[in-house]
Amino acid sequence: MNEQLRKFLRERARGCCEYCLSPVEYSSDPFSIEHIIPRSKGGSDEVDNLAFSCQGCNGRKYNHISAIDPLTDIYIPLFHPRKDVWNDHFVWNESYTQLIALSSTGRATIERLQLNRREVINLRKLLVMVGAHPPM
């Protein structure tokens, strides 16, 4: 992957993980370019199948494209950053530290990627205090 493509993907994502919305500038680890539909499941290297992702979300997503909705116990497609609208599936809680699901896709994605993991909540708390969260 060349630097020009990485820069494009970072800018398209506004410098945030396309799943948990953590900003790359405050990450202790480099972000990954993630295949939304993994190559192992027929996904391509086309730009519309690539997402800018923090290590936490990328590692938890691995090669999954669906997960169990904890409410219905049914496999549901995970959030797709190119096809889905983030605000249709997620909303912030009152303190902007945790994501709340608005749909079965939101619930399955929060569960599979652990979008409210302790480390991300702690980062969000600090960023809220300095006025750098939530991302616009």
Side-chain angles (χ1 to χ4, degrees), residues 38-99:
R39 286 186 282 193
S40 64
K41 303 225 172 161
S44 72
D45 290 331
E46 296 295 318
V47 74
D48 283 344
N49 191 45
L50 301 176
F52 194 60
S53 176
C54 71
Q55 293 295 327
C57 287
N58 188 40
R60 285 171 177 84
K61 183 174 175 289
Y62 184 50
N63 70 341
H64 297 278
I65 57 174
S66 64
I68 293 178
D69 172 358
L71 184 64
T72 64
D73 214 27
I74 297 171
Y75 271 92
I76 300 294
L78 294 173
F79 174 75
H80 190 300
R82 300 287 79 72
K83 294 181 180 177
D84 295 328
V85 176
W86 195 89
N87 292 329
D88 289 346
H89 301 285
F90 311 100
V91 67
W92 294 106
N93 70 350
E94 204 170 289
S95 64
Y96 298 105
T97 57
Q98 293 188 45
L99 290 172

Side-chain angles (χ1 to χ4, degrees), residues 22-23 26-27 118-128:
S22 292
Y26 297 106
S27 178
R118 182 178 44 86
E119 302 84 1
V120 175
I121 289 173
N122 289 338
L123 175 62
R124 291 172 185 155
K125 285 178 185 176
L126 291 171
L127 293 176
V128 165

